[in-house]
Amino acid sequence: MAGSQWELPPELCCRPMAFVALTGLDVVYNAVHRAIWDAFCANRRADRVPISFKVLPGDHEYPKCRTKRTSYEWYIPKGILKTGWMNKHLNLVPALVVLFYELDWDDPQWKEKQSECATKVEIVRTSLQGRNTKVAVVLIQKKTPLPPGEDLVASERASSLCNACDLSGKSLFVLPHTDHLVGYIIRLENAFYEHAQTYYYTEIRRVKSHKEFLNKTTHQLLFVRHQFKIAFFSELKQDTQNALKYYRTAYSLVHELRAHETNMLEIKTMAGFINYKICRLCFQHNTPLDAIAQFRKHIDLCKKKIGSAELAFEHAAWMSKQFQSFGELFDEAIKLGLTAIQTQNPGFYYQQAACYSQERKQLAQQLCQAGASYPSPDPLDTQSGGLDFYGQRPWRQGHQSIDPPDAEKEKTGILALQIKERDVPHSELIIALLSNAVAQFKKYKCPRMKSHLMVQMGEEYYHAKDYTKALKLLDYVMCDYRTERWWGLLTAILTTALRCAYLMASVKDYIIYCMELLGRASTLKEEQKGRIEKNLLKVLMNEVPDAEPECDPSSVSAARSLWNDRVALSGSNEFTIEVQDYIPFIQCKAKFFSPSFHVDQPIQLQVFLRADCPHPVTLNKLAVSLSNQEYNQWCVVESSGQESMSLIPGKTKCYNFSFVAKTEDVGKKIEMTGIEVMLGSDRGRCVFLSWRGAGGDAASNHEALQASRSSRRWGRGMETRPELDWDNLIMQHSTMIISRVPKISVQLSHQPPALNNEMYCISLTVQSQEEGVAKEVKLTAGLKPGQDANLGQTTHVTLDGSKVCDDTAPALLPDVPLGDLKPGEKLERCVYVRCVSTGPRVFLFHVAYSIDTTVEGRQIVCKCHKDETATIETVVPFEVSVKFVSTKFEPLDRVAVDIPFLLMTDILSSSPWPLVLASSSLQLLTMTSNTPQLQSQLQEVVLQTGECASECFCLRCPPLTSSNNTVATGQYLISWRRKPSSADSPLIQTTVTLPHVILESVPLYIHADLPSFGRVRESLPVRYHIENRTALVQEVEMAVEPSDAFMFSGLKQVRLRILPGSEQQMLYNYYPLMAGYQTLPQLNISLPRCPTTNTHTLRRFLPQRIFVKPQGRQLDDASIAAA
Amino acid sequence: MAVCIAVIAKENYPLYIRSVPTQNELKFHYTVHTSLDVVEEKISAVGKSLGDQRELYLGLLYPTEDYKLIIFLTRHLH
């Protein structure tokens, strides 16, 4: 009851709908009636008219209508709104009563049934005496009606029935019970809706008509009541715009009422109701800003209207309810599509509701003192069990004057209310509201607001003594405040959490919260920290700590006994606390001295500890765990009898550890996996504070960052501080163990660049500077791994330089044993590299050995190695170009079959080093040499950079059987080596594939035999050979054209026939007339049978010019003298 | 009358916070802290649209039941 007293009545919160009563239906036993009723009320969708239907018996008694007041002159209202009024108009007084009656137009007993129907109508009317409720009749008929106007009997009987029942034609309906029942029902209910609207319209008119009788002095309450009623009827009529208007008027009228302590609750109650209606309608009209503005106005107007000071908690409860209801309306509107924003969402209203509930709780605690007994008789009891008017006091209902009629009754009434308030589960209400608000703030991206509300929830659970839940919530949000570094708030939360842990005697939680409250993030004063530290020490000694201040005394005594039980319990006195995510009062940072250690050096690490609590702390043990647990034994320190480990507040203490790494850990990382500090002892309680990695806590990262910023800003001056600066201590949680520094030298000597395919020699010199013997020296040489994968295929490494290695030689020679190396001893090796492709390559020379050494008195065998790399470019030694020319040195694009031609080769050196060309040769395919023996023309030629060596070969292509006219020529082989290399270094064979040639066959081949030169006025015999290369007899026409430079003898023009495969010779004697290069007389040849071959194509085989020497002269003295 | 003044670092922790001593100091801390939700949201929204040209005065953030919160952003504070 206590909680629900402030609930808004359901009839206020529902959506008002026109009330229509259906009578004459037997929905239990009559299947037809049941079907009709179902069609009215089942599955009403939003598109159906808003009507609330009820089936009532035909003789149902409706609420009596009081006799109408004719004058208001002596009437003094007793309250604003009767508690039953809304329900009456929603559920009791119908706008329309519909009588269902089974009657067909052709019923044989028409007369009797008509009068029975009229009687039933009369019964309803009598019951509704004085009301404006309409009555309608629906005839349930078995037959489908004929179209209007066709059934004369029907229209006649209809009007007779209307007369008998005193009904207008608009109020008589026919419902054929056929297939389309739902369709008929929808038409019916639309008609009912119209009747209902008319009814509510007349009701509004009726209420409005009272206004003229009212006067402002005695009838103030009625002004509000009437406006409310008009608004409510407008809502029933679904006229929400007008409803809103009347509610607004009602709202301003309610605040015009003379308010005093005795009617304050009634005014606030009604103001709350009307405000609810206004806000609801504003949201419904999609004007949420109006709703918010109205609500703000409402709160501003009402928040100071506290009423009776002794019942101030009531005001807080009412305020809370106002905010809660508005939050719910807001939330409801959002569910229907309204968009809310971060700064305006229902969460704020729930939060404020929770605030007022908290205030209510406080006021209740102040005002409702325990001890008094509930008064008898119960002043809150009313005869009817409820109130007549909303918001009135049960012991003085209807009383409207300023002073209470009976002071004694007033006192007992207030006492009764106060006693009842004591039983209200305030915390429960507050938590529910807070949790509503949390859900909203989560939705609208307000993480901090959410955390704040969760803190309040936690505190409320603490007040409700549900410590487990309280801790759960507080624990959950603590880390948010910790990461955001709001220390004041964190301290406040921790303080509450510590109280919870104390009251529950939860030892581990108690230690954790103490630990953080003593730490540097805590804003507690020194004396409070001192008290907490004392308590922590007690817990470590397995004693009961002192109670936290501000704890409720009864809870403290319960807690004491819990602690005593806990202390008596043997065992489970060891706790490990992961402190990294807190800000504990002992800080820890650790570091390896260096990010790497050589295996022959001791590994050193330091652990720094610092206490932030007010008094010194004693540790019992400090242990570092490492990734290789075998080293852990070297990183432990325990307090012994003489030497205790204690931390002085504010002073950094450093613990050093060192150990020798295992040689098998070379190349591995050693990490600190955790650090543990033991507080307390086996005799009392052991608490292990455990850090992961190299320590640090929730705040240290930020502190280190700040420290580095300020040291950067203030420069070097700060570095000379005497005290080790804690914030600047950088943790180093891992170190590498690396191999011992080698004491040998590795030198490479070579002559880059490497030439493609050559055996490139790299000579390696290793010299030991060790003091002992370097044992098992091994060399790994070759292509450095991790380069382009193709390089592996095109690089070959060998130690044998006597011959050219083949493709099976690897790219990297691993672990070539070189034996032992005495101190100072030196050894040399040549490594040969053959690079099949050009481009840069990185070569690795890795010399490894082992050596005996001592670290801190321990004998260890160290493996050392030294790496050298060389990047070597590979270039082509020379470029080879090849061309085909005719015997006249004219370039050939095709080669004539069985006619000699020339192959010319050029070797152009691009090597920076001189090259020796040992020999060259041709490997011919298809072609044959035109000369008996092919001999290299460049044997032992030395080519300097940029020099070129050329060769010329005369070749001939024999007649071919295949029809293919493109043929391979063969290969050109060159043997060479680098000049400076020794004579026994192997020769490199470079093969150049000669280009293919296109062949052509000529039908007629003509060539001339002539001397290499002529002489003026001396006969020059020229013999032309004409060969028929076809299988046909060829007819040849030949003519020699006259020339200025020559006279000639022979056939000037001739026509001859040449048999297939045979040759004809023509002899001419030319007689040169002029000296110098002279054009020979032109030979015109044509083959009438072979028109494709003309003079021009044949002439290319013939020499064009000849050099003619001047006429020989006897040497005489004169000419000599002239010279 | 101003009842509380707070200077907040860009990482959202308080650099300075003072309130009138007569009232519940913790409540002001919570109020300032929770208002950062809105500041953060506003900064990210403004930052997106205007880059460095952002308006520094965020003005009245939102009214709580009892107080008004006014926020001013600074460009540089260290």
Side-chain angles (χ1 to χ4, degrees), chain A residues 18 22 42 55 175 210 220 301 391-392 411 424 468 478 549 565 603 663 695 797 830 855 988 1022 1063:
Chain A
L22 309 180
V55 170
L175 175 60
H210 301 324
Q220 261 199 325
L301 285 170
Q392 295 194 345
K411 229 170 120 186
V424 173
T468 315
M478 240 180 245
D565 296 349
I603 293 178
T663 47
V797 181
C830 274
V855 193
I988 299 110
V1022 176
E1063 181 192 285

Side-chain angles (χ1 to χ4, degrees), chain A residues 751-812:
Chain A
Q751 292 176 310
L755 303 177
N756 204 2
N757 279 319
E758 80 169 318
M759 295 297 284
Y760 185 70
C761 176
I762 301 167
S763 101
L764 176 88
T765 312
V766 182
Q767 186 167 20
S768 167
Q769 282 114 31
E770 291 286 0
E771 282 156 15
V773 177
K775 289 181 195 157
E776 295 167 40
V777 183
K778 279 179 188 161
L779 167 70
T780 297
L783 197 64
K784 191 177 182 189
Q787 300 180 74
D788 184 355
N790 288 334
L791 290 179
Q793 307 296 316
T794 58
T795 310
H796 307 288
V797 181
T798 174
L799 294 174
D800 180 9
S802 64
K803 60 180 195 294
V804 176
C805 68
D806 59 11
D807 291 351
T808 56
L812 183 73

Side-chain angles (χ1 to χ4, degrees), chain A residues 6-8 12-13 248 251 271-284 287-299 317-335 338 340 343-354 433 436 440, chain B residues 65:
Chain A
W6 306 104
E7 291 296 329
L8 296 174
L12 180 79
C13 302
R248 282 191 192 280
Y251 189 79
F273 284 9
I274 301 167
N275 171 68
Y276 179 85
K277 280 289 192 187
I278 294 172
C279 294
R280 195 187 148 90
L281 287 173
C282 286
F283 278 124
Q284 198 180 317
T287 53
L289 294 180
D290 290 355
I292 292 168
Q294 161 65 30
F295 183 71
R296 291 237 62 86
K297 184 174 104 183
H298 173 58
I299 292 305
W318 179 83
M319 285 295 280
S320 169
K321 194 72 214 171
Q322 298 307 299
F323 277 98
Q324 187 191 349
S325 310
F326 188 77
E328 282 163 1
L329 277 178
F330 200 168
D331 201 14
E332 195 66 29
I334 289 163
K335 283 183 189 134
L338 181 72
T343 50
Q344 192 53 265
N345 72 62
F348 286 100
Y349 300 94
Y350 290 129
Q351 185 202 9
Q352 207 56 42
L433 287 167
N436 276 352
Q440 295 291 334
Chain B
E65 209 40 47

Side-chain angles (χ1 to χ4, degrees), chain A residues 833-1011:
Chain A
V833 175
R834 184 168 159 246
C835 301
V836 184
S837 65
T838 56
R841 285 171 175 78
V842 182
F843 290 93
L844 170 73
F845 298 87
H846 169 96
V847 180
Y849 62 98
S850 55
I851 189 151
D852 297 336
T853 184
T854 340
V855 193
E856 300 212 313
R858 287 178 61 192
Q859 192 82 26
I860 57 169
V861 179
C862 287
K863 287 196 160 58
C864 301
H865 65 88
K866 174 116 182 180
D867 285 359
E868 266 318 311
T869 57
T871 304
I872 299 171
E873 187 81 30
T874 302
V875 299
V876 219
F878 47 74
E879 307 279 352
V880 177
S881 60
V882 172
K883 58 182 188 264
F884 297 104
V885 294
S886 74
T887 47
K888 285 161 72 184
F889 292 97
E890 288 167 342
L892 288 180
D893 54 351
R894 48 191 64 208
V895 166
V897 174
D898 207 18
I899 294 169
F901 65 95
L902 300 177
L903 166 72
M904 303 208 39
T905 60
D906 292 321
I907 301 171
L908 173 66
S909 165
S910 50
S911 153
W913 306 100
L915 298 177
V916 178
L917 301 178
S919 70
S920 67
S921 62
L922 278 182
Q923 277 183 351
L924 294 172
L925 288 168
T926 326
M927 304 292 159
T928 57
S929 170
N930 211 34
T931 46
Q933 202 163 15
L934 271 177
Q935 206 173 6
S936 174
Q937 294 146 30
L938 38 72
Q939 230 147 8
E940 296 304 328
V941 166
V942 175
L943 275 187
Q944 299 294 335
T945 315
E947 285 182 345
C948 180
S950 303
E951 283 190 281
C952 177
F953 303 96
C954 186
L955 306 178
R956 175 196 288 269
C957 180
L960 289 175
T961 46
S962 89
S963 58
N964 199 347
N965 65 348
T966 307
V967 293
T969 315
Q971 286 177 321
Y972 181 45
L973 310 177
I974 306 149
S975 295
W976 60 277
R977 72 161 75 90
R978 202 187 256 247
K979 174 83 196 301
S981 61
S982 59
D984 59 351
S985 68
L987 283 172
I988 299 110
Q989 191 98 322
T990 299
T991 303
V992 180
T993 301
L994 299 169
H996 282 48
V997 291
I998 305 168
L999 294 180
E1000 69 175 340
S1001 46
V1002 287
L1004 198 77
Y1005 176 48
I1006 179 164
H1007 58 105
D1009 279 349
L1010 74 169

Side-chain angles (χ1 to χ4, degrees), chain A residues 119-167:
Chain A
T119 312
K120 289 191 170 191
V121 169
E122 195 46 41
I123 291 167
V124 172
R125 283 227 173 90
T126 316
S127 176
L128 289 165
Q129 193 100 55
R131 301 224 176 257
N132 294 322
T133 305
K134 311 268 180 212
V135 179
V137 172
V138 174
L139 298 181
I140 302 169
Q141 297 190 336
K142 294 187 187 75
K143 291 189 182 137
T144 317
L146 293 167
E150 284 184 25
D151 192 343
L152 292 176
V153 182
S155 49
E156 180 213 314
R157 290 195 163 173
S159 79
S160 125
L161 185 67
C162 283
N163 276 335
C165 301
D166 193 16
L167 280 177

Side-chain angles (χ1 to χ4, degrees), chain A residues 689-717:
Chain A
L689 304 186
S690 153
W691 286 264
R692 292 185 300 274
D697 58 37
S700 57
N701 272 348
H702 185 266
E703 287 159 355
L705 188 72
Q706 290 290 86
S708 77
R709 270 188 202 162
S710 62
S711 70
R712 226 184 298 141
R713 185 147 319 133
W714 306 117
R716 314 258 157 239

